[in-house]
């Protein structure tokens, strides 16, 4: 009984540990080799076209991709992941010719890292069989013809010889000795030479269809299908730290300055904007931040929810007029 209880406790501990980590599988679609750093921790000793990073404990890791080819600019961007998941990301080229990271898959922990995808062979390419080509070398047939014609003559008479070599005629005359007959004979010799050479070549590979361009990489909020204003909102952990920093400031003006510093290079959700508005004491400050954060919010279709943070309806009307004018 104790043994079963201990086993059960260990299983729970293992499951809890796994739920607190996440894995990343990153590969380049063109085979370019790179080195991956996650929050400054280098994940592969040698450059590779595919790198697996396991045991990530930060929901918003900073991803740095340094290519073996020094002419390719490095990629440095923040990520947003959930614990207990494995994410597959592809390094590809966008329409501007720049390399970017795009999310290509999500699976339960322990799934994606087990497979080793190589560079896929496009299904739209068709390989034809090699073609044999036979060519004649040396101008085809080469024919040499020699013809000799002798005319019969009696003793003491002259005999004419007519010879033709490849169409060139030669005429000769000679005397016939006594007692000799000059028979008339014809000799023809024909020589034919033909040389061939066989080569094998592969036809050019041509795509039969055009592969559609992948959509830009963006965060997918569960259950939300409305318009988006930015791609990757802050994780719950990063937002909690930012909010704590803002709340620690004594003056309203300093809190506003800090909040704008946070939002200058980050993306919010509507709930996060509403939460930061709650750190301000004055209605005007809340309205100012709500206008500032609108263009930096992922689910702008839910932005009506920030109205709950206002005390006066006039602030709601002012914010609505601001949004309609954009």
């Amino acid at each position: 009984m104790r043994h079963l209880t201990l086993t059960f406790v260990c299983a729970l501990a293992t499951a809890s540990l796994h739920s607190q980590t996440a894995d990343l599988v990153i590969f380049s679609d063109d085979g370019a080799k790179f080195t991956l750093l996650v929050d400054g921790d280098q994940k592969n000793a040698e450059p590779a076209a595919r790198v697996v990073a396991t045991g990530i404990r930060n929901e918003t890791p900073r991803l740095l991709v340094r290519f073996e080819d020094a002419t390719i600019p490095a990629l440095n961007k923040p990520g947003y992941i959930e614990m207990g998941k494995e994410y597959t990301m592809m390094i590809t080229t966008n329409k501007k010719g720049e390399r970017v990271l795009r999310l290509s898959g999500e699976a339960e922990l322990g799934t994606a890292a087990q497979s080793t995808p190589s560079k896929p062979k496009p299904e739209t390419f068709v390989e034809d069989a090699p073609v044999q080509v036979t060519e004649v070398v040396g101008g085809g047939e080469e024919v040499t013809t020699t013809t000799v014609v002798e005319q019969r003559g009696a003793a003491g008479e002259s005999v004419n010889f007519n010879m033709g070599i490849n169409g060139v005629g030669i005429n000769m005359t000679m005397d016939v000795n006594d007692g000799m007959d000059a028979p008339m004979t014809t000799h023809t010799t024909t020589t034919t030479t033909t040389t061939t050479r066989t080569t094998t070549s592969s036809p050019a590979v041509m795509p039969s269809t055009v592969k559609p361009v992948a959509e830009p990489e963006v965060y997918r909020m569960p259950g939300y299908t409305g318009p988006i204003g930015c791609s990757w909102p802050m994780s719950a952990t990063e937002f909690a730290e930012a909010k704590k920093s803002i709340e620690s400031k004594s003056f309203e003006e300093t809190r506003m300055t800090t909040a704008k510093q946070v939002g200058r290079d980050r993306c919010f959700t509507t709930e996060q904007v509403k939460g930061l508005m709650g750190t301000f004491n004055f209605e005007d400050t809340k309205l100012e931040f709500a206008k500032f954060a609108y263009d930096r919010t992922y689910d702008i279709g839910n932005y009506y929810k920030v109205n709950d943070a206002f005390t006066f309806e006039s602030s709601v009307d002012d914010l609505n007029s601001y949004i309609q004018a954009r």
Side-chain angles (χ1 to χ4, degrees):
M1 184 65 179
R2 289 182 178 178
H3 177 71
L4 292 176
T5 302
L6 181 60
T7 302
F8 179 71
V9 171
C10 291
L12 287 179
T14 302
S16 176
L17 179 62
H18 283 187
S19 65
Q20 301 302 316
T21 64
D23 291 350
L24 279 177
V25 180
I26 299 179
F27 69 97
S28 57
D29 64 347
D30 59 356
K33 295 183 179 181
F34 60 91
T35 300
L36 173 65
L37 288 85
V38 179
D39 290 331
D41 181 23
Q42 185 170 324
K43 295 301 181 180
N44 53 312
E46 299 293 336
R50 177 181 181 273
V51 179
V52 178
T54 60
I56 300 174
R57 298 181 180 275
N58 183 10
E59 291 181 336
T60 56
R62 174 65 64 172
L63 307 179
L64 176 60
V65 177
R66 293 175 178 166
F67 293 94
E68 183 181 37
D69 185 351
T71 62
I72 304 176
L75 296 177
N76 189 351
K77 66 161 292 178
Y80 180 80
I81 60 178
E82 296 180 10
M83 297 296 99
K85 297 284 187 177
E86 277 188 352
Y87 296 88
T88 301
M89 304 186 74
M90 176 176 62
I91 303 173
T92 187
T93 305
N94 61 16
K95 294 180 180 179
K96 298 180 181 179
E98 303 168 341
R99 279 181 168 80
V100 293
L101 271 172
R102 287 180 177 166
L103 184 67
S104 62
E106 177 182 335
E108 295 300 323
L109 199 63
T111 303
Q114 295 177 358
S115 61
T116 306
S118 57
K119 182 180 179 182
K121 186 176 183 180
E123 296 181 357
T124 57
F125 282 27
V126 179
E127 293 185 357
D128 296 329
V131 178
Q132 286 191 343
V133 180
T134 301
E135 56 180 320
V136 178
V137 180
E141 294 185 350
E142 179 182 337
V143 179
T144 301
T145 303
T146 302
T147 303
V148 180
V149 179
E150 300 176 4
Q151 295 180 352
R152 179 188 299 270
E157 295 181 353
S158 298
V159 178
N160 292 326
F161 289 84
N162 294 316
M163 302 178 62
I165 302 177
N166 287 342
V168 180
I170 300 176
N171 183 271
M172 299 178 62
T173 303
M174 62 178 297
D175 294 332
V176 180
N177 295 327
D178 294 341
M180 295 182 59
D181 290 331
M184 185 178 64
T185 58
T186 301
H187 304 283
T188 302
T189 303
T190 302
T191 302
T192 302
T193 303
T194 303
T195 304
T196 61
R197 180 173 62 206
T198 301
T199 59
T200 302
S201 61
S202 298
V205 179
M206 300 294 293
S208 57
T209 59
V210 178
K211 184 177 180 181
V213 178
E215 296 181 356
E217 174 197 353
V218 294
Y219 167 73
R220 298 285 186 258
M221 177 178 286
Y224 180 74
T225 58
I228 62 175
C230 54
S231 58
W232 282 92
M234 290 191 297
S235 68
T237 301
E238 186 178 12
F239 173 72
E241 293 176 354
K243 184 178 179 182
K244 182 178 179 181
S245 176
I246 295 170
E247 290 174 334
S248 67
K249 305 300 184 289
S250 301
F251 299 101
E252 187 95 340
E253 183 178 355
T254 307
R255 286 198 292 271
M256 172 60 73
T257 300
T258 305
K260 288 184 176 180
Q261 287 176 343
V262 171
R264 187 165 290 115
D265 58 354
R266 289 176 176 83
C267 177
F268 300 109
T269 65
T270 297
E271 289 299 326
Q272 290 172 350
V273 173
K274 183 179 175 182
L276 293 184
M277 289 172 64
T279 64
F280 302 116
N281 299 321
F282 303 116
E283 190 83 352
D284 290 344
T285 313
K286 294 178 182 179
L287 179 59
E288 179 184 351
F289 182 75
K291 292 179 179 179
F292 167 81
Y294 178 75
D295 290 331
R296 298 166 173 82
T297 301
Y298 172 82
D299 55 327
I300 54 177
N302 291 332
Y303 212 67
Y304 65 91
K305 295 180 180 180
V306 305
N307 295 338
D308 298 336
F310 292 124
T311 303
F312 305 110
E313 291 186 1
S314 59
S315 299
V316 176
D317 294 337
D318 195 340
L319 177 61
N320 183 62
S321 298
Y322 172 81
I323 295 175
Q324 293 296 327
R326 300 194 63 71

